[in-house]
Structure formats: structure tokens, C-alpha cells
Amino acid sequence: MRKNIVAGNWKMNKNLQEGVTFAKELEAALAGKTLKCDVIIGTPFIHLASVASSTKLGVAAQNCADKASGAYTGEVSAAMVASTGAKYVILGHSERRTYYGETDAILKEKTLLALANGLSPIFCIGETKEEREKNVHFDVVKKQTVDALFGLSAEDFSKIVIAYEPVWAIGTGLTATSAQAQEMHAFIRKTIADKYGKEVADNTSILYGGSANGGNAKELFGCPDIDGGLIGGASLDVEKFIPVIEGF
Ligand code: PEP
């Protein structure tokens, strides 16, 4: 059975002390609640070890290098991320694709290195506003998935979490309607089933991301193919994040 997951993505927010305090506060606030999902926080690299050692919450990096090791100044390898105790890495976020030129070929390398080091990628795909207006959104999402991920064995693919994040909804306050999100999630699951079979597809967690919050999480998470969320803005504040987690 696939897991329900709510994962926060802090992006480039919070210093180390603020991050550790947040993680402890969130864990304390969730203690005693019956959770129907796994909770992950995606922190900047420098927070990973401290957050992973001070809470039992899942911890994700927001990126890793496309090289294993060596003379790549400023980069952080998948092995280094794994050595912090983090179990996940967010890959292919649209901000990485847009601002740092990450292509499907680069993301394929990052995914292989993440998996080789025991990390589960939370792999982001999604179309821009222009692509949706041109009605090519299904083609775009399929190509991103095929080009970066469909070289994987079924065993490796089963360690991937997909995050469908329409670029036009990220940080904009615009959310895909639950019908739009469900339609795309069902399409992604069918695309996976066509390649890896129904069992792998049914076991793949597909998260929605794009201005999800406490007000819309319940409706989104109630859709049959939406298995949780990747949450930016609403994950920066414990009081705002908890209602998203409680959307399940
Ligand atoms: C994200 O950064 O992955 C995201 C979905 O951001 P927001 O929730 O702020 O739209």
C-alpha cells in the first residue's frame, strides 16, 4: 500500500537555530495526535544533521549533486546527505530547473546517486502556465517522468515519491482545483502503470504541491490519486503546517 505523506519544503528560509526549534516544536505539537500520514521536513543542507538528530520526523534535503564526489566546489553529494541521517531528497523542484538549469539528464544522474546512497527521491514534475494554456501539460509531465526516471529498474522506481507541482501554482496562492490535480495524478499513475505495471503504480505515492494549505488540504487529499502534499509557504509555520497534516 502506498503511503500518505506531507512534506514541507522550507526552501532558503530559517537559520540553523530557527530550524531546529521549529522541528522540535512541530514534533511536540504532533505528539499525542493520531497521524494518518508520514511527516517530512525539507531543510537547507546545513540543518540536516541537527534536525535529523533532534527529532524523529522524516528529513529531506532539497537537492544533491549530480556527481559522486571530487572537485565540485560548493556541491553536496547524495552520500553526504545520507550521512546526516536524512532519508529523502527533493529533486527536480521547478525552482532548481528554472534558476539553476537542471535538465532531465542532470536529474537522472541525481536520482541514480540518491538511490545508490539509500535516499528516497521526492521527484518534482509539473507544467508552466503557458504549457497548460497550450494544452500540452500532460505531454510535459510525461516527458519529465520518462526522461529522468524510466531508465530505473522497477525495484528502484518503487523507492521514488512523485510530487506533481504545477509551476503556476507554486508560491502564487493559486491552487490547482482538486479536479485538475486528480486528473493529472491519475494520468501520472497510468503512465507509471504502462511502464512498470499496476502494482508498482498503485504503490507509488504521488503528492500535490502548489499553494496547498490548511484550507484546501482536506479536499485535495480526499482525491483517490492524491497521496499527500509537498508544501512550501504553509510549512514554515507550525500553526499553518499542522492543519495541512491534519488534512488526512
Ligand atoms: C513548493 O515549493 O514545493 C511549493 C509547493 O510551494 P508553495 O506551497 O509555497 O506553493
Side-chain angles (χ1 to χ4, degrees), residues 9 11 93 95 124 165 169-173 208-212 230-234:
N9 173 16
K11 313 193 185 192
H93 193 282
E95 288 152 16
C124 305
E165 300 208 302
I170 297 177
T172 58
Y208 168 80
S211 300
L230 181 56
I231 315 297

Side-chain angles (χ1 to χ4, degrees), residues 48-113:
L48 292 173
S50 305
V51 171
S53 64
S54 56
T55 77
K56 291 196 176 63
L57 298 169
V59 180
Q62 299 172 17
N63 183 26
C64 70
D66 62 338
K67 306 285 190 303
S69 65
Y72 301 102
T73 302
E75 288 293 293
V76 175
S77 71
M80 292 172 191
V81 170
S83 74
T84 67
K87 300 279 184 252
Y88 299 88
V89 57
I90 298 168
L91 291 177
H93 193 282
S94 69
E95 288 152 16
R96 300 285 327 162
R97 292 178 190 260
T98 305
Y99 304 142
Y100 302 97
E102 293 194 1
T103 60
D104 293 326
I106 290 170
L107 292 168
K108 183 175 178 179
E109 296 307 314
K110 293 188 177 201
T111 301
L112 288 170
L113 285 162

